[in-house]
Amino acid sequence: MNHDPKKSGRPPDNHDGDNKQPRTILMLIVAALIFTIFINSVYEGIANAQYQEITYDQFTELLSQDQLAEVEFQSDRILILTKEEAAKNAREQTIFYTGLIPNLDLNGLQQDLDGHDVQYSGHIVEQASPILSFIVSWVLPIAVMYLLFSLLMRTMSKRMGGGIGGIGQSNAKVYMEKQTGVTFQDVAGQDEAKESLQEIIDFLHNPQKYADIGAKLPKGALLVGSPGTGKTLLAKAVAGEANVPFFSISGSGFVEMFVGVGASRVRDLFQQAAKMAPAIIFIDEIDAIGKTRDTRLGGNDEREQTLNQLLAEMDGFDPSKGVIVLAATNRPEVLDKALLRPGRFDRRIIVDRPNLSGRYQTLLVHTRNIKLAEDVDLHKIAAATAGAVGADLANLVNEAALRAVRLGRQAVNQQDLLVSFETVIAGTEKKGTVLTETEKRIVAYHEVGHALVAALEKHSQPVSKITIVPHTSGALGYTMQMPEEEKYLNSKQELETELDTLVGGRAAEQLVFGIQTTGAANDIERATDLARNMVTQYGMSDQFGLMALTTVANEYLDGRAMMNCADTTAALADQEVKTLLQQSYDRARKLLGEHRALLDEIALFLLQKETITGDELMAFVNADKQTLPPAGEAGGEAAGPSAGGTAGEAPEPPAAP
Ligand code: ADP
Ligand code: ZN
């Protein structure tokens, strides 16, 4: 039961890894130098030959001995190629030369040369002209260096966006849409968020109405929610509904290598928006700049300056102009208090993970333009995707459409959706992973252990699927339980049943093979969390009764509870947690022991088929004479509130030694 669809959406801390630039420059310079040397040596290769000076006498002697092949008259000397050298290949030739002596009788010399049949007009050496040589050894390298340098400057100024001192005026990171084309109709569910944003839209339509009464106008709102819940989409929809331009930038985009760049970008952004007002400015991942100013490590100048600039701009602009700043974060608790003061981001709009009907509507929105086959039941898919966010669902629908195309069908059917649900939520099926026969048997018994406990106990969620096909997420198999309807309250009995189900896997391993495997690690972690919550938060233990032992630090998102009691009490609470887990384990073990034949039967069936449905499971259970009433009658039930009602499944991390 471990696939948590929430992906950790923590923006990367950009500025930390950014001092690569000086190294890049250095590398470019070295490259240019190497290139220059290379070019020069190549050029020397072209201008090959070695030269050797001889006297004029030697020249005439060679001529009279008929040893010359070719001469070339240059302005200050005569190049001489002997027949011997001419026979060699060009690179190895030695070219002789001699100075032109003054008052040389050129006519006489020419006749002599003619007499010995020496050519004197040709080019002895494929001599590069001095101009060419100059170009090759100087102009070219400089041009190349210049090119590299300007390339570098361009990349750098692009990264600096708003630019300092006019180096780069391009605001590459600011992203502006005159019309987003997104409306509230494109955002499924999120009714409360929409309602809060409605006022902002009204204000953008009609700022005067608010000004007339003297109402203080909103400047900013903070959208708080997990990644993929649709914060960006909502912000765009606000702009779309109000029909105003949408400026967006990501918080991490502000923070760059150079101190001051972020601040100048903020200034720039607000200037641009003011020109186009009324407008929406959307700052994604505001926690990247808005983190609490931390002086412990000497602080971060750049981030602090950027943040200060942002605060100054927000305080400075005239709200009646109609610029509204929306910011998104999934970690509101790390934000600097200064950001949250009145007149800044004083409104907080929670963008929750969608509930059942929210998920259904999201699926509807995303299947609007998709051809669906008759058998598609989006309610079922919505029910199976508890815990998924809008982005997951959008992804799921798209995967399903891709699969339908791949299989050459005209419309998306339910099977496509179910399969892509597994791809998106549980990772792709890895048919190739090889488990040994023994491992497979253990996994099968483990999974059936979960499923059978759930099926045999009252108050449990119906099992919808058991599989021992490994998934990329690392699970060797899993048991999926599907709540029949969304539930917000769980009784103590229901939670106890969930505990029994969670430890059922280990109980089966122990019962059948007498061993304990690493496969149960995730189950144990979840069971322990649940038991701890029952003791410390839900007031469900005999020992502490109604006493809360923890406080929740951040009530909005995945808040971690912190123990808030004496150390001795905490130790007692640990004892109580252990007792709860032990009781559950004993119950599960007893139950499985009593139905050992059934356990074997189903495990064998699972080993053969690798994946079985909840119905197949229930058929076995119902056929078994001694069974209690099937769990289906107990009514649906969601996981504990802390688990957010995720589709329960019991996966195993790969077995480690
Ligand atoms: P966030 O900014 O919260 O990380 P996004 O707004 O970028 O999430 O959402 C990503 C995508 O997920 C959207 O483009 C949209 O396709 C889909 N999505 C998320 N929430 C919803 C929703 N409530 N209704 C419809 N689509 C949604
Ligand atoms: Zn398990």
Side-chain angles (χ1 to χ4, degrees), residues 56 60 63-64 105-118 120:
Y56 195 79
T60 45
L63 180 61
S64 60
D105 174 12
L106 272 177
N107 273 346
L109 182 58
Q110 268 177 7
Q111 275 167 18
D112 270 2
L113 289 170
D114 285 343
H116 290 279
D117 213 5
V118 176
Y120 52 83

Side-chain angles (χ1 to χ4, degrees), residues 8-14 250 252 285-288 291 330-331:
S8 138
R10 194 164 169 263
D13 258 357
N14 244 14
S250 161
S252 56
E285 299 172 5
I286 192 162
D287 35 300
K291 254 184 245 162
N330 60 335
R331 298 186 301 161

Side-chain angles (χ1 to χ4, degrees), residues 606-655:
L606 178 61
L607 270 170
Q608 279 166 2
K609 290 201 55 179
E610 297 212 331
T611 302
I612 63 177
T613 64
D615 291 341
E616 285 169 318
L617 171 77
M618 289 321 292
F620 276 105
V621 175
N622 290 333
D624 193 81
K625 296 274 182 293
Q626 344 154 14
T627 46
L628 300 163
E633 288 170 20
E637 152 195 0
S642 59
T646 41
E649 15 151 304
E652 286 69 26

